[in-house]
Amino acid sequence: MSILGTRGTPTTGDLESADGLAVAELAVRSQGGGGLLRGLLEDWTSRVGLTIVVILGLLALLAPVIAPYDPLDLRGARLQGPSWHHLMGTDNLGRDLLSRLLFGARL
């Protein structure tokens, strides 16, 4: 049984006959003013996603401070694996991958 009226909007008569879940969903949607932010902060998966986005944003903003090497510097050893000097290794031109990743996040 549909809870939507003829124009796609819920009617009071339809709400009484609808499932409890659908009524609760409509009640949540009808709340205004900050409902989206409140909904994001209440759901744990949304908090995890928001935390990841904030951390990536901070890393991108702080790339010039955090990056151990210039991302365009070609003086490193080619295709070097991860080590204490290059935490993510180097590419085929000898550039530090961690530095390139941090500066690439700024785009």
Side-chain angles (χ1 to χ4, degrees), residues 76-100:
R78 293 180 173 189
L79 296 175
Q80 184 180 6
S83 66
W84 288 109
H85 296 288
H86 300 282
L87 293 177
M88 293 183 71
T90 61
D91 64 3
N92 60 342
L93 297 176
R95 300 174 294 195
D96 183 62
L97 290 178
L98 177 61
S99 298
R100 293 185 58 77

Side-chain angles (χ1 to χ4, degrees), residues 25-72:
E25 184 180 18
L26 284 174
V28 169
R29 287 184 186 175
S30 66
Q31 294 175 356
L36 177 64
L37 183 59
R38 184 177 300 124
L40 282 175
L41 295 177
E42 287 177 359
D43 184 28
W44 73 271
T45 55
S46 297
R47 280 186 294 204
V48 169
L50 187 61
T51 302
I52 291 171
V53 168
V54 167
I55 289 172
L56 289 175
L58 287 174
L59 287 174
L61 286 174
L62 298 173
V65 177
I66 298 172
Y69 299 100
D70 179 16
L72 302 176

